[in-house]
Amino acid sequence: MSSPSKRRDMDVMKLMMSDYMVETTNDGLTEFNVEFHGPKQSPYEGGVWKVRVELPDAYPYKSPSIGFLNKIFHPNVDELSGSICLDVINQSWSPMFDLLNIFEVFLPQLLLYPNPADPLNGDAASLLLKDQQQYEQKVKEYCERYAKREKLEDVSDGSDEDISDDEVTGSDNVDIAGDSAP
């Protein structure tokens, strides 16, 4: 078996050679962002997210850290941090998996089959359980507001400056000084 660093480099290169846009965030191949599209025939269809990937030194023996950088409304994704709750990444990761598995299987499955019983976003879980049609409408609204390709450039790594509340409500009066408050 090859060394972890060779495997890491091979997996990142395989992802870069696929249909995914990969943007490195430092000089190495341990931190990067991937453009991820919502699955077809789902409320997330048409949405485009920037997903942060951090590979630990022990990858593939230790799972990568994965998080959405732009907002997404989903019971198993923390709305503020973008962290995801997905057993296959957080608990049952295996070196048999690679980065393509994450973007071609695990994330699409997460979006297609949310688990409101194990939520990181209680509001999304509650709405899904109470009114699936209203939940799907809110997902589509988030896709329209936060997950369009032209808005990805506004999403910076680790920052909450992606879109202001004024932009969400459609107000033209943006208070730039007020955006710095936590």
Side-chain angles (χ1 to χ4, degrees):
M1 179 82 194
S2 62
S3 72
S5 64
K6 285 183 183 177
R7 166 68 189 273
R8 178 181 54 237
D9 294 351
M10 184 178 73
D11 282 3
V12 173
M13 293 308 289
K14 197 160 92 173
L15 189 64
M16 289 177 158
M17 293 173 67
S18 69
D19 291 336
Y20 297 97
M21 289 197 48
V22 178
E23 169 187 71
T24 57
T25 57
N26 61 21
D27 292 337
L29 296 178
T30 58
E31 294 180 31
F32 50 91
N33 299 323
V34 178
E35 188 176 292
F36 174 72
H37 295 258
K40 293 186 184 321
Q41 299 179 355
S42 79
Y44 298 95
E45 184 173 10
V48 183
W49 288 270
K50 191 180 278 193
V51 177
R52 174 191 41 78
V53 179
E54 292 180 30
L55 300 178
D57 290 339
Y59 178 87
Y61 304 105
K62 187 175 180 205
S63 66
S65 173
I66 308 291
F68 287 88
L69 291 176
N70 44 329
K71 289 185 179 184
I72 183 168
F73 190 73
H74 190 283
N76 310 112
V77 180
D78 183 272
E79 190 172 357
L80 295 176
S81 71
S83 296
I84 64 171
C85 180
L86 186 60
D87 286 348
V88 74
I89 293 175
N90 297 332
Q91 295 168 0
S92 58
W93 178 261
S94 164
M96 291 180 7
F97 301 136
D98 65 17
L99 295 171
L100 277 176
N101 291 125
I102 292 170
F103 290 95
E104 291 183 351
V105 180
F106 303 152
L107 288 180
Q109 291 291 312
L110 176 75
L111 298 187
L112 289 168
Y113 306 105
N115 179 6
D118 189 18
L120 285 176
N121 181 335
D123 292 341
S126 177
L127 187 58
L128 176 59
L129 291 170
K130 289 179 186 169
D131 187 342
Q132 185 168 353
Q133 191 172 15
Q134 193 175 354
Y135 165 81
E136 289 180 3
Q137 181 59 40
K138 188 149 186 174
V139 165
K140 290 175 184 178
E141 289 172 13
Y142 266 59
C143 287
E144 193 62 39
R145 291 177 182 164
Y146 303 109
K148 291 298 176 192
R149 171 166 280 169
E150 58 272 10
K151 296 185 183 203
L152 285 184
E153 293 175 12
D154 297 334
V155 178
S156 59
D157 195 10
S159 144
D160 290 333
E161 299 174 15
D162 51 349
I163 298 175
S164 73
D165 288 338
D166 289 325
E167 287 178 273
V168 171
T169 59
S171 171
D172 291 332
N173 300 326
V174 178
D175 178 11
I176 296 172
D179 287 347
S180 61

